[in-house]
Amino acid sequence: MNQVPIAVFASGGGSNFQALIDYEDNSSYHIVLLLTDRKQVGAIERAEKAGKHSEVLEQKGKSDQEIASQMKDLLEGYGVEFIVLAGYLRKIPPAVVSLYTGRMVNIHPALLPSFGGKGMYGRSVHKAVIEAGETISGPTVHYVDEDYDTGEIIAQALVPILEGDDPDSLSDKVLQAEHKLYPSTVHQLCSSLQ
Ligand code: GRF
């Protein structure tokens, strides 16, 4: 099977990146690049262990144009055809978004269109969900557009919120659901590109 060359963008521990690595054999995608915005991230160690290329694109002191052009050069250099954001905390430059329209996805740890937007990441998402008295949460995979968490929704998984759940326990459960939902969704999307 011809696999679609994908890049994963991450800023943190990279457990979703790991789930994508673990699912890769017999899938329709092949991870050719991990891109991070800083050096000290767990995702880089995971890339090393898996024998994957990683690149750090630091943004401090660079203009938006510079960042966009360096990102485009990297993506072109690795022949990336599809981008998977997995805990990447920087906004993607508009020039890159438009280059990958319909070929760039993100995962958010709540049921969009609720509980998304700027500042809604990490523990604060789960805290807001619990404080709103929700009984169900779960991850959302969506296309990336020029704003935060507003692109078309592709897939969601439901995670019941039980009495006694707090932001940490909910975060753990949603993350586990992410690890199942994300690789299979990326696989399906890349299958339809082939
Ligand atoms: C996940 O909760 C994901 O929904 C969000 O960022 C987190 C990344 O976690 N976009 P990890 O680095 O993949 O463990």
Side-chain angles (χ1 to χ4, degrees):
M1 190 191 342
N2 257 348
Q3 292 174 307
V4 175
I6 72 168
V8 179
F9 286 23
S11 301
S15 68
N16 277 289
F17 172 49
Q18 187 67 53
L20 287 155
I21 292 171
D22 295 344
Y23 194 95
E24 183 177 36
D25 287 349
N26 304 314
S27 81
S28 59
Y29 64 83
H30 175 57
I31 302 166
V32 294
L33 172 66
L34 168 75
L35 189 133
T36 72
D37 57 334
R38 54 189 118 161
K39 286 186 197 122
Q40 309 293 340
V41 302
I44 293 179
E45 274 173 43
R46 296 183 192 272
E48 277 165 11
K49 277 195 190 134
K52 298 289 181 193
H53 292 284
S54 63
E55 298 278 356
V56 181
L57 180 55
E58 282 175 336
Q59 306 208 353
K60 214 172 159 202
K62 290 181 190 163
S63 69
D64 290 354
Q65 261 184 334
E66 241 176 310
I67 296 165
S69 111
Q70 291 179 358
M71 196 176 272
K72 282 203 303 199
D73 285 350
L74 279 172
L75 294 168
E76 199 184 319
Y78 282 90
V80 172
E81 287 175 21
F82 192 93
I83 299 176
V84 178
L85 307 185
Y88 186 70
L89 296 176
R90 304 274 182 171
K91 208 153 188 188
I92 305 298
V96 176
V97 174
S98 59
L99 205 59
Y100 284 87
T101 303
R103 294 185 297 132
M104 184 177 348
V105 295
N106 180 43
I107 191 159
H108 182 77
L111 295 173
L112 294 174
S114 300
F115 305 107
K118 197 163 194 277
M120 272 293 190
Y121 62 88
R123 199 172 185 273
S124 53
V125 178
H126 305 292
K127 191 166 174 278
V129 169
I130 287 183
E131 281 174 3
E134 300 291 334
T135 54
I136 295 179
S137 189
T140 301
V141 181
H142 63 93
Y143 286 112
V144 174
D145 63 15
E146 288 179 12
D147 223 322
Y148 283 108
D149 304 328
T150 53
E152 187 192 334
I153 292 171
I154 302 163
Q156 296 183 310
L158 301 183
V159 172
I161 302 173
L162 306 177
E163 249 185 70
D165 267 331
D166 60 17
D168 295 323
S169 64
L170 183 57
S171 167
D172 288 348
K173 288 197 283 191
V174 172
L175 197 58
Q176 283 192 18
E178 291 180 32
H179 297 161
K180 284 195 190 136
L181 181 69
Y182 214 11
S184 57
T185 304
V186 171
H187 166 63
Q188 274 178 19
L189 294 170
C190 289
S191 304
S192 66
L193 286 183
Q194 288 171 330

